[in-house]
Structure formats: C-alpha cells, structure tokens
Amino acid sequence: MTSESIRKLDAIDLEKLSIEDVKAMKNAGLRQALLNVLRAQVEGNEHKFSDHNSSFIGDR
Amino acid sequence: MTDPIPFHTFIWKVASRCNLNCSYCFVYNLRDTRWQDQPAFMSQAVALKTAQRIREHCEAHQKEKASIVFHGGEPLLGGAKHLAAMLSAIESVFKDSGISLTLGMQSNGLLFDAEIGDLLLNRRMSIGISLDGPPEINDLHRVDHEGRPTSHKLESKLALLTSDQYRDVFSGFLCVVNPQADPVAVTKYLLSYQPRGIDFLLPLNNYDCRPVGKESDLAATPYADWLIAAFDYWFSRGVETKIRIFNSLINMLFEVPSEVESLGLHPVDLIVIESNGELEAVDSLKSTFDGATKLGYSVFENAFDEALKHDLVVSRHVGAASLCLECRSCPLLSTCGGGYLPHRYSSSNGFDNPSVYCADLQKLIKHVHTTVSSALNRELLESRQ
C-alpha cells in the first residue's frame, strides 16, 4: 500500500459533525451511512459486540 | 489477565434437519457430519435447561440484555407448535428476571404462514430470510431434496411476510455472494422488498476447498469486484436499508466497531447450542473439518462460564493475538480482523493463515474507505464555501 492509501484509511474524527450537519448532506449514501455511524456511537456497544455471520435478526 | 467477555448472543439449533438441500450448506454439504447424530428437533427439556443456563450466565455477569436466535437446519420445520414450545420455555425462565431478551430467527422462509406470523408478532420475534437474489440466481444453489427450485414458492411467502400485517417481524435478508451473478441485479432485487437490512456473505470456502473463481489464483478478486459493484449501487442510492458488511466497514472508518463477527478485532460474544444441548463455538466451522465445532460441553453438564474458558472461545476474544504473522503486520488489520475464522483454515496449517479471501478483503476495504472519505471531503469542502 502507498502512504497515501494508508492515510485515507486512517480513522476519521466525526466529533466535529452534528447530526444536523449530517442530515443536511447532499450525498444520500453518505448521509445514511453517517447517520448509522452516529447512531452506533450514541448507543454504544456495552451489551453486544458482534452479530452471528449466519443470522440477520436486525436488532441494531 | 482481563475478565472474559460474557456471551450475549445464544444461537439455538431448534431443528437440525432442513426442508432444503443447498449445495453450499455448512451443516449438511461441506465437511461436518455430526448433524446425523443430533435429534431432529430441540426438546422442551433442552430448551428449558438452555434458557436456565442463559439466565444464570446473565445474572453472574450482571447482564441486563441478551439475544436468542433460532437457527437450524430450518427453525420453522417443527411448525408453529414447536416454535411456541421453544418460546414458552424461554418465557417461563425469564419472566420477572428483569433481563431484556431480543428474539430472532434465521429461516429459509418456505414454511412461513399466517399462524407463524401471528406467533412472531405476539412474541416479538423477528425473522431473517436467506435468499441469494432473483430466482435464476437463488435456484442455482437453494434447492429442495429433489433438486427442485424453491424461489417461486418463496416469493409467495415473501409477499405475505412483507405485507403490512407482518412487515414488523421481517428483519432482512442474508445473501451468499455468487460471483457469476450480476451484483446490481441481485442488490436491486433484494432492495425491492424494502428490508430493514441485508448482508452479503462470502461462501464458506478455505485453503483446502478454494472459492469459485479463485481455484488457481488466490490473488484474483472476483468477490471484491462483485461487492464493490453492489456497494457502489447501494451507496449511490442512499436507501435506508442497511447492508451489514458495508455499514461495518464504514463504521470502522470512524472507529465504531464492526456489526458482524466476520470483520474487525472486537470480541466475538456468541455461542451455539445444538439441538441436543451441546455447545459449539461457532457453527460455520463445520465447513472446515468434521468435529471442528465440538467444545465437549453441554447445557446439562456445564455452565456457559466454562465455555468462556475454552481455547476456541478465548481465541475469538483476544483480537490480533490469535492471528497469523502476516495479518498482524497488515495495515488493514483493525478493519479486516483477519477475515472470518472458517475462511482461514487449511488442513496443513489450521487457522494460522490469512483469509482465503485476503485479496478480496483488501480491495473491498480500500474501495469503501476511499469512496466514503472522498464523499465526506467533498461535503465538507462544499459546506465551507
């Protein structure tokens, strides 16, 4: 991998973005994806880490 | 040493037989043959003891929430009566416990009817359906015991399940990737049912049984190419339906954990209970060698805390420490997590290998992260102008 591609894979800090900022985004795919990330950040993962690969019960 | 992470998700093999004979099924058609020794259905006694063990485990670890997933075989094979008996066992143990249970099942959907739909609504249990795409794709592998296609019947069941009456219990689709299918056509078809979620699964191949399209060249990336096309279609549409593999990769770009055991380095907090009450670390290991899932424990003899100490369970709690040297030195390690455990297997080297899909995972991860990063940078630039 190039250093550029590694840099692009570094984690992105979402703290500076509010949910209103995200909802106002024009790119609908990005908007939906970031809303999911924000939801996951708020809800946290104190109770559950990982879904069973061979099941989809949609409890997130 | 840190305390072991308690189990959260309990996969119940309520039936160990199936009305389908899918060619890629890890229970019946790959390496493991132990299903033949299992009772066809989980009994009331096993269900009751399993529920008691789960409550005991939750109370020992002060857990207020847990998930129970009915799986098989086909969990609807015993009909509404068997399903109700399993749920009654759970209710009798957990009433007044203060523990909140999430209930779900993974089914092929062919036995779904109004009686089962009403039962699921009444007991607040969701149902995920296994479906590989439109009929011409789904019927390549998902056939009955006479080799006959099943899609036509399933589509009529899906019409009922996705009706206003039962849509609340419909959680989504699991779809096994077929690199010879059109990824956009498959994605469009699944999205046409407006599911809450979808996941695309890589077939349960390994180094001894290489994936279709990678038989002679593990550097080939037909699965990445397929998933990238599906991702680009999904991301460009901005639909509300989640696709678990894609959402997990995006989550990890923002240091939010993966949602699924096959990606990332977070602990795997699930365990499988066979129809006779035996415990298994993860059922999909049946794809690797006969007896791979066997822990040697049973709900009748052992508490779940004993299983927490088993090497196979511990290995999925320790992140990178259980991975091969090549994975540990990879810059994508925290996202990939070495890929899914069964995909790492070779008879010569056990699980001490990168995923047989390593090249695909690298290409997919880079594409998803680059696409999302670029889109976010564009949005941020435009918002400043």
Side-chain angles (χ1 to χ4, degrees):
Chain A
M1 288 178 73
T2 64
S3 57
E4 173 66 9
S5 60
I6 292 171
R7 190 190 64 75
K8 283 180 180 170
L9 294 174
D10 283 348
I12 295 173
D13 182 6
L14 258 191
E15 283 179 12
K16 295 186 181 71
L17 287 175
S18 69
I19 197 157
E20 286 71 28
D21 293 331
V22 173
K23 283 180 176 171
M25 286 182 171
K26 292 175 188 162
N27 183 322
L30 181 67
R31 188 169 64 236
Q32 288 297 341
L34 294 186
L35 286 173
N36 186 63
V37 173
L38 289 171
R39 204 159 32 238
Q41 281 182 330
V42 170
E43 290 169 1
N45 239 333
E46 61 182 300
H47 297 296
K48 177 177 183 178
F49 286 100
S50 49
D51 283 355
H52 182 221
N53 190 67
S54 304
S55 303
F56 194 94
I57 65 170
D59 62 338
R60 290 174 187 268
Chain B
M1 190 169 168
T2 54
D3 290 338
I5 291 125
F7 297 115
H8 181 91
T9 302
F10 299 85
I11 313 291
W12 291 33
K13 298 287 183 174
V14 294
S16 72
R17 302 292 188 273
C18 190
N19 50 336
L20 291 191
N21 189 28
C22 306
S23 56
Y24 52 55
C25 180
F26 61 79
V27 179
Y28 308 108
N29 290 325
L30 295 180
R31 292 291 182 269
D32 194 84
T33 58
R34 294 178 66 235
W35 65 270
Q36 297 170 66
D37 302 325
Q38 290 291 332
F41 296 103
M42 183 178 278
S43 68
Q44 186 81 357
V46 172
L48 204 56
K49 190 66 189 174
T50 303
Q52 289 165 350
R53 290 293 191 191
I54 294 172
R55 180 169 176 172
E56 169 190 277
H57 189 68
C58 290
E59 288 173 346
H61 295 274
Q62 291 87 49
K63 277 182 69 66
E64 297 168 348
K65 294 182 179 179
S67 292
I68 293 176
V69 180
F70 287 179
H71 209 270
E74 168 49 44
L76 293 181
L77 201 60
K81 190 176 174 187
H82 182 251
L83 183 60
M86 297 292 100
L87 288 165
S88 294
I90 294 169
E91 284 168 6
S92 69
V93 171
F94 280 89
K95 65 181 177 195
D96 306 324
S97 69
I99 297 164
S100 170
L101 291 178
T102 300
L103 302 173
M105 75 161 70
Q106 186 64 33
S107 166
N108 61 41
L110 290 164
L111 298 170
F112 181 80
D113 60 18
E115 185 182 12
I116 287 171
D118 290 340
L119 183 60
L120 297 180
L121 274 176
N122 184 255
R123 307 294 181 97
R124 301 172 62 87
M125 181 176 224
S126 67
I127 179 169
I129 301 294
S130 300
L131 174 65
D132 291 348
E136 65 273 19
I137 302 303
N138 189 59
D139 289 335
L140 291 174
H141 294 291
R142 301 189 63 79
V143 295
D144 68 14
H145 287 274
E146 280 72 49
R148 293 174 300 204
T150 57
S151 294
H152 180 68
K153 185 176 179 188
L154 179 57
E155 285 188 332
S156 72
K157 299 293 184 177
L158 286 172
L160 179 64
L161 177 58
T162 58
S163 66
D164 288 346
Q165 193 170 1
Y166 298 118
R167 178 164 280 282
D168 283 351
V169 300
F170 175 45
S171 56
F173 293 120
L174 278 188
C175 170
V176 176
V177 172
N178 178 345
Q180 290 155 336
D182 176 346
V184 173
V186 170
T187 308
K188 271 186 185 175
Y189 178 78
L190 297 178
L191 287 174
S192 72
Y193 286 99
Q194 298 180 291
R196 292 208 295 273
I198 297 170
D199 201 13
F200 293 125
L201 307 183
L202 293 169
L204 285 168
N205 292 96
N206 54 57
Y207 287 87
D208 287 5
C209 179
R210 291 186 173 194
V212 170
K214 294 171 72 77
E215 296 93 337
S216 59
D217 182 12
L218 287 178
T221 57
Y223 296 88
D225 297 338
W226 196 98
L227 287 165
I228 285 169
F231 171 81
D232 286 346
Y233 178 80
W234 170 76
F235 193 70
S236 70
R237 294 300 181 278
V239 293
E240 288 188 14
T241 299
K242 292 171 60 175
I243 298 186
R244 189 168 63 179
I245 183 172
F246 300 149
N247 284 108
S248 290
L249 292 176
I250 295 169
N251 282 0
M252 288 188 281
L253 184 60
F254 300 95
E255 295 187 335
V256 171
S258 165
E259 297 186 1
V260 66
E261 57 166 330
S262 50
L263 291 168
L265 286 173
H266 285 81
V268 175
D269 54 355
L270 61 89
I271 190 158
V272 178
I273 301 95
E274 271 288 4
S275 61
N276 68 351
E278 290 179 353
L279 306 185
E280 298 183 332
V282 61
D283 49 355
S284 54
L285 283 178
K286 291 175 190 285
S287 62
T288 58
F289 60 92
D290 201 17
T293 58
K294 196 172 171 63
L295 295 180
Y297 298 136
S298 160
V299 291
F300 291 104
E301 305 292 333
N302 308 98
F304 283 112
D305 268 18
E306 293 177 68
L308 277 180
K309 298 170 190 162
H310 193 284
D311 287 348
L312 191 51
V313 175
V314 172
S315 72
R316 307 194 77 201
H317 284 183
V318 296
S322 67
L323 299 178
C324 68
L325 192 59
E326 188 178 338
C327 287
R328 279 184 276 154
S329 59
C330 176
L332 301 181
L333 170 66
S334 62
T335 306
C336 170
Y340 196 29
L341 181 61
H343 296 154
R344 297 178 212 153
Y345 179 74
S346 69
S347 52
S348 61
N349 212 25
F351 296 95
D352 198 24
N353 305 298
S355 168
V356 75
Y357 294 105
C358 179
D360 297 277
L361 290 169
Q362 288 196 39
K363 189 172 183 179
L364 174 66
I365 291 167
K366 289 175 197 172
H367 178 82
V368 169
H369 283 193
T370 302
T371 303
V372 173
S373 300
S374 301
L376 182 55
N377 285 335
R378 275 196 299 277
E379 285 279 355
L380 294 176
L381 272 176
E382 285 175 19
S383 69
R384 287 185 197 127
Q385 286 171 354

